[in-house]
Amino acid sequence: MKKQILNTLSFSILLTLLPTIILGQQKNDKQHMDAFVTQLMSKMTLEEKLGQLNLLSSNANTGPFASKKYAEKLKDGSGGNIFGLVGTSSEINEKLKLAENSRLKIPVLSGLDIIHGFKTVFPIPLGLSCTWNMPLIEQTARVAAIEGSAAGYNWTFSPMLDITRDPRWGRVMEGSGEDPYFGSLVARSMVKGYQGDDLKNENSLMACLKHFGMYGAAEAGRDYNTTDMSRITMYQFYLPPYKAAVDAGVGSVMSSFNEVDGVPATANNWLLNDVLKKQWGFKGFVVTDYIAIYELMAHGVAADIKQAAELAINAGTDMDMVSEAFMATLKQSVKEGKVSMATVDAACRRVLEAKYKMGLFTNPYRNFDPGKATRVTLTPENKKVAKEAALQSMVLLENKSNTLPLKKNINIALVGPFANNKSEMFSMWSPNGDEGSVVTLYDGIKKINPNVNYAEGTQISNDSLLMNFAGWGFDQKEQKKLVDEAVTLAAKSDVVVAVLGETRGMSGEAHSMTNIALQDCQLELLKALKGTGKPVVLLITSGRPLIIQQALPYADAVIEMWRLGTESGNAVADVLFGDYNPSGKLTMTFPRSVGQIPIYYNHKNTGRPYAGERKRFFKSNYMDQTNEPLYPFGYGLSYTTFNYGKIQLSDTLLTGSNKTLTAEITVSNTGKYAGEETVQLYLNDPVASVTRPVKELKMFQKVFLQPGESKEIAFKISPEDLKFYNSQLKWDWESGKFNLYIGTNSKDVMKTAFVWNK
Ligand code: BGC
């Protein structure tokens, strides 16, 4: 007994001391790191320090230092880091060895764009975000880190945390949509997934948040274009996901191509030094985007590459991606006093600290092991994560007369150029994915129902220039033949499943579009299929919300399937036949027309708010179209139906900031299938010192309900949830009335209100 009491006592003493022990340990680690880096730097020449700030590309370099050979740069320490390590495993080994044998034996960071999986490919990030499932999102990043690290990488240029409101921008596929709160949750999950609990774990990848900052707001949705917005908009909408990643301990940050407040991000002292490093206390390093230092000349802020490099490093850029401008010019700039040695040292220290934190000095190869790579890659467990992610990413947009799910024994006409294609299940950002292991839609459906026949049905687009970009052709005669074949097949079948949309070459970086409607030739096919009188299920594959209003009359059910990755076919088949009930919810608003863009749910009310109709003059509306989107943020149907009760508040008048308000609502499954619902809570501050959005997502919960089952969902609200950036850019809340909404998407909500005073 005495022994037991003693044990309990010592355990509780240990528990009390634990934070102090951990803090002490961290302090020791930090002291050890500081001493190690200081000692190392004392031995380094200026060239060697600049080498640490240099990120070499395996391909040709664009900068002035490009003439020196790649291997030579690794050997003499002037190429301190590698981007896009390629080759056989022995070639990779050789490259890593070259650096290891450099004078000071400083290991390299080996970076790559591992964006939505490595060999096992997950849905594109925009699709993945529609799962609203943070643990699952984290798991996909974890699997990517395990596979990527075994192949020789220790650093990934992910996650992309740019807020996106304009689907013309091709890069919306790489992000998590339009909401800052939601984007912040994704930021944390991705950083945790890649980096694990400790960057030293050899199967972790250092994450790199990008593109800092505001890159998603490119004017007219044209990639690389100017962005211009008020500071308050930056703080309220665009900066939170980046900050969340910094708070989660992201190891590196990539500056963006665009300008911010008139100064390109890569040369922006306010953005990099003041906000990121001083205000947010970011301890990692900043790398530029691809040759962004070089581009400072085209931006018109630097006359030559030397001045560009000076601007960049003085503004807080630590590492030069591929321009080789630092390596080629900074020695002279230091000599001339245009860049201080202290600035070079600070940047070099940040890079060396990252290498130290990753344990590279003791284990330069980390997880790199070709044998292990084979064992840990594309495993059944990894594919299971890929399938789960694919299932949960799909968003059911329409389901007239319960067309879906399909019976398992009917004859299916599977039509469309994407329906039996492995490569098209990937994206621009999955070049390392293993195409051989992709399950096509045809194969996935056939496993469950062998009565499926395939017809290509259409080419992608009759715009031949566009097709040059997208890597496909167009031929009028061929088109007629394809449509005829598909219609004949449809006429003999019970149901048509048409898979239409964009190719992987139509979205991603440098893939902006002004016409984001379903291409004409595809729409014509859809009309012809509908003409057979058979029910038509339309599956859309795309990297952005497309304009699909014109297609709706010709489809009985519509699913947005994004680009689902390795397990595409298995996941789609489960959804079509009802083995999985769709649960995805949109994270980007779907416009009715390009003219409505930019379009997002958390807009302001204006002084002349839209009043629900379009014919009124002197209101903020269009003459020719409603303001309402086709599908709002948070939207997504299920095979079952959910009913929301009335919102019950624990209080309607609160005073003081240390209180909590509880909002409860009963959600019931009123349909025939078990299903998962994402219950969303929005707040609105109708009177404040600055204008506030009409609604802001503040929290959500996922709930799984059997038919007939009800559950009470409770949300806890604190003053932290009422805070916003005021005109002094202070994060605070103001007394007054608040509207509270709970519902199935940002539009269809139950409403109540409360007053909270300070
Ligand atoms: C992109 C980045 C990417 C980098 C390296 C750039 O063009 O903007 O997102 O990480 O290339 O591939």
Side-chain angles (χ1 to χ4, degrees):
M1 180 66 177
K2 216 167 151 190
K3 204 169 155 204
Q4 210 176 9
I5 293 174
L6 266 178
N7 272 345
T8 321
L9 258 181
S10 46
F11 183 65
S12 47
I13 290 170
L14 185 70
L15 268 189
T16 339
L17 288 179
L18 213 54
T20 328
I21 294 171
I22 291 172
L23 262 182
Q25 176 76 34
Q26 281 172 353
K27 212 168 145 201
N28 270 344
D29 278 358
K30 165 105 180 56
Q31 274 170 359
H32 190 266
M33 177 174 79
D34 287 349
F36 178 87
V37 172
T38 304
Q39 219 227 350
L40 178 58
M41 283 179 59
S42 70
K43 295 188 214 145
M44 291 170 80
T45 62
L46 175 55
E47 285 87 345
E48 281 166 334
K49 287 177 182 170
L50 295 177
Q52 289 306 304
L53 313 187
N54 195 13
L55 178 55
L56 284 186
S57 165
S58 289
N59 310 318
N61 291 314
T62 30
F65 197 63
S67 54
K68 206 169 174 189
K69 293 243 173 54
Y70 184 79
E72 232 176 277
K73 293 178 203 171
L74 286 176
K75 223 167 28 190
D76 70 12
S78 58
N81 309 286
I82 304 177
F83 163 43
L85 196 60
V86 282
T88 60
S89 45
S90 58
E91 282 161 355
I92 290 179
N93 204 32
E94 210 172 289
K95 286 177 192 163
L96 294 174
K97 257 224 155 62
L98 284 172
E100 208 201 345
N101 290 334
S102 61
R103 189 179 79 91
L104 292 169
K105 310 209 174 322
I106 302 177
V108 290
L109 288 171
S110 159
L112 188 72
D113 292 282
I114 298 175
I115 307 288
H116 53 112
F118 186 61
K119 295 282 177 208
T120 306
V121 175
F122 303 108
I124 54 169
L126 183 60
L128 205 49
S129 70
C130 294
T131 65
W132 292 54
N133 186 336
M134 298 306 145
L136 182 59
I137 291 174
E138 181 182 328
Q139 230 182 338
T140 63
R142 187 86 291 276
V143 171
I146 291 169
E147 291 191 357
S149 60
Y153 302 100
N154 50 39
W155 183 24
T156 177
F157 306 131
S158 175
M160 178 183 111
L161 301 174
D162 305 318
I163 290 292
T164 58
R165 297 170 165 182
D166 189 334
R168 289 172 299 180
W169 192 46
R171 303 198 78 168
V172 304
M173 58 152 292
E174 296 172 54
S176 300
E178 69 200 40
D179 186 70
Y181 162 75
F182 187 86
S184 303
L185 296 182
V186 174
R188 270 177 227 133
S189 309
M190 296 289 285
V191 170
K192 196 152 170 256
Y194 287 132
Q195 298 194 166
D197 297 330
D198 187 345
L199 267 174
K200 274 204 175 62
N201 296 340
E202 58 178 23
N203 66 10
S204 65
L205 292 175
M206 178 173 60
C208 182
L209 84 79
K210 67 189 192 187
H211 306 83
F212 194 60
M214 281 55 80
Y215 181 41
E219 282 176 1
R222 209 173 65 234
D223 207 2
Y224 316 125
N225 202 7
T226 303
T227 64
D228 193 10
M229 67 178 75
S230 63
R231 292 264 162 109
I232 202 165
T233 296
M234 290 185 205
Y235 273 86
Q236 190 64 43
F237 297 101
Y238 284 81
L239 292 176
Y242 307 129
K243 174 152 192 312
V246 169
D247 292 344
V250 73
S252 60
V253 168
M254 187 187 293
S255 60
S256 53
F257 288 127
N258 58 285
E259 66 176 67
V260 174
D261 253 352
V263 181
T266 300
N268 196 311
N269 186 57
W270 172 77
L271 188 71
L272 304 181
N273 275 334
D274 293 351
V275 175
L276 180 67
K277 292 183 177 175
K278 290 192 195 124
Q279 281 179 31
W280 295 356
F282 173 61
K283 296 279 180 286
F285 66 89
V286 176
V287 61
T288 71
D289 203 341
Y290 205 91
I291 64 161
I293 297 182
Y294 207 71
E295 292 175 10
L296 293 178
M297 294 186 283
H299 269 292
V301 295
D304 53 33
I305 190 75
K306 178 165 164 287
Q307 192 190 0
E310 287 161 2
L311 284 173
I313 196 159
N314 285 333
T317 295
D318 301 303
M319 191 185 286
D320 170 0
M321 187 192 281
V322 182
S323 295
E324 301 218 9
F326 281 1
M327 197 61 229
T329 67
L330 283 186
K331 198 172 162 196
Q332 181 63 21
S333 304
V334 169
K335 215 190 251 169
E336 290 169 12
K338 299 221 165 91
V339 172
S340 72
M341 201 52 222
T343 302
V344 173
D345 279 348
C348 180
R349 179 172 288 276
R350 282 177 183 261
V351 174
L352 293 175
E353 281 182 359
K355 293 183 178 183
Y356 180 94
K357 287 180 202 156
M358 293 167 76
L360 282 174
F361 288 102
T362 45
N363 185 7
Y365 296 87
R366 304 226 314 168
N367 209 25
F368 174 53
D369 171 353
K372 190 193 255 177
T374 319
R375 286 193 306 280
V376 300
T377 298
L378 288 163
T379 60
E381 298 78 50
N382 296 1
K383 288 186 184 172
K384 205 167 150 208
V385 179
K387 179 167 175 197
E388 200 51 46
L391 285 169
Q392 297 191 28
S393 293
M394 279 178 263
V395 185
L396 180 65
L397 299 175
E398 300 285 342
N399 196 14
K400 294 175 205 159
S401 323
N402 296 322
T403 305
L404 288 173
L406 302 176
K407 294 207 177 68
K408 289 187 179 165
N409 55 359
I410 53 173
N411 286 308
I412 299 176
L414 179 66
V415 180
F418 309 107
N420 195 14
N421 187 314
K422 289 184 177 227
S423 163
E424 279 300 330
M425 299 299 102
F426 285 178
S427 82
M428 174 188 183
W429 287 109
S430 44
N432 299 290
D434 183 79
E435 278 183 25
S437 57
V438 172
V439 181
T440 65
L441 270 49
Y442 177 70
D443 288 339
I445 292 171
K446 206 175 173 66
K447 273 191 229 167
I448 298 185
N449 179 355
N451 305 321
V452 56
N453 290 294
Y454 167 71
E456 191 175 330
T458 177
Q459 297 163 92
I460 307 296
S461 167
N462 20 12
D463 177 341
S464 53
L465 262 183
L466 174 66
M467 284 302 88
N468 276 349
F469 268 116
W472 294 61
F474 184 79
D475 178 85
Q476 193 60 52
K477 258 204 209 134
E478 171 75 0
Q479 179 67 13
K480 185 169 174 340
K481 189 181 126 240
L482 291 175
V483 174
D484 289 348
E485 278 168 9
V487 167
T488 310
L489 175 64
K492 315 194 277 223
S493 310
D494 299 317
V495 66
V496 179
V497 175
V499 192
L500 302 175
E502 293 183 316
T503 66
R504 69 190 278 191
M506 286 163 82
S507 66
E509 185 179 351
H511 287 84
S512 296
M513 303 255 278
T514 61
N515 173 15
I516 56 170
L518 199 62
Q519 295 290 318
D520 289 346
C521 64
Q522 297 191 41
L523 189 60
E524 290 312 313
L525 166 72
L526 193 68
K527 286 182 189 169
L529 293 171
K530 184 67 186 163
T532 63
K534 300 298 164 77
V536 175
V537 176
L538 172 61
L539 296 178
I540 299 168
T541 178
S542 66
R544 52 161 67 83
L546 292 177
I547 306 284
I548 56 165
Q549 193 164 17
Q550 291 78 354
L552 293 185
Y554 311 104
D556 299 280
V558 182
I559 294 176
E560 173 60 66
M561 60 172 271
W562 310 111
R563 318 194 70 79
L564 290 178
T566 304
E567 282 291 300
S568 293
N570 289 335
V572 165
D574 277 4
V575 164
L576 288 178
F577 297 115
D579 292 333
Y580 181 81
N581 184 355
S583 62
K585 299 276 189 178
L586 299 177
T587 55
M588 253 189 106
T589 302
F590 269 52
R592 286 170 196 271
S593 67
V594 168
Q596 287 185 319
I597 297 171
I599 187 165
Y600 47 96
Y601 85 96
N602 46 1
H603 58 84
K604 304 292 184 69
N605 203 35
T606 81
R608 294 188 175 192
Y610 172 71
E613 75 290 324
R614 72 176 163 97
K615 286 195 199 111
R616 291 267 297 277
F617 282 123
F618 308 113
K619 293 279 181 193
S620 179
N621 53 224
Y622 300 105
M623 286 169 67
D624 61 345
Q625 192 167 70
T626 165
N627 286 17
E628 299 291 342
L630 187 59
Y631 303 114
F633 175 87
Y635 175 87
L637 302 174
S638 161
Y639 293 155
T640 193
T641 43
F642 297 104
N643 180 63
Y644 283 70
K646 272 184 91 176
I647 305 171
Q648 307 287 339
L649 292 183
S650 58
D651 217 335
T652 50
L653 177 60
L654 297 98
T655 310
S657 46
N658 53 358
K659 300 251 164 60
T660 306
L661 169 68
T662 306
E664 282 178 344
I665 195 159
T666 303
V667 181
S668 315
N669 182 343
T670 47
K672 287 204 229 108
Y673 298 89
E676 190 166 42
E677 169 71 327
T678 302
V679 183
Q680 302 160 35
L681 183 144
Y682 297 85
L683 287 179
N684 159 247
D685 187 348
V687 182
S689 58
V690 293
T691 61
R692 307 286 299 115
V694 292
K695 274 187 197 117
E696 288 177 293
L697 179 72
K698 288 293 171 178
M699 41 196 91
F700 60 89
Q701 282 182 45
K702 287 173 95 77
V703 56
F704 189 87
L705 296 171
Q706 294 296 334
E709 193 187 3
S710 295
K711 268 191 194 151
E712 204 152 276
I713 309 293
F715 294 99
K716 302 255 178 238
I717 297 137
S718 79
E720 196 56 33
D721 303 308
L722 311 178
K723 286 186 178 172
F724 60 90
Y725 287 97
N726 63 22
S727 44
Q728 278 74 50
L729 299 180
K730 201 172 151 232
W731 177 242
D732 203 0
W733 64 289
E734 294 171 1
S735 298
K737 180 187 163 192
F738 297 88
N739 294 314
L740 183 148
Y741 309 88
I742 301 179
T744 183
N745 60 56
S746 59
K747 182 165 171 266
D748 302 311
V749 285
M750 307 302 284
K751 180 180 175 186
T752 185
F754 59 88
V755 172
W756 204 325
N757 293 320
K758 284 201 166 176

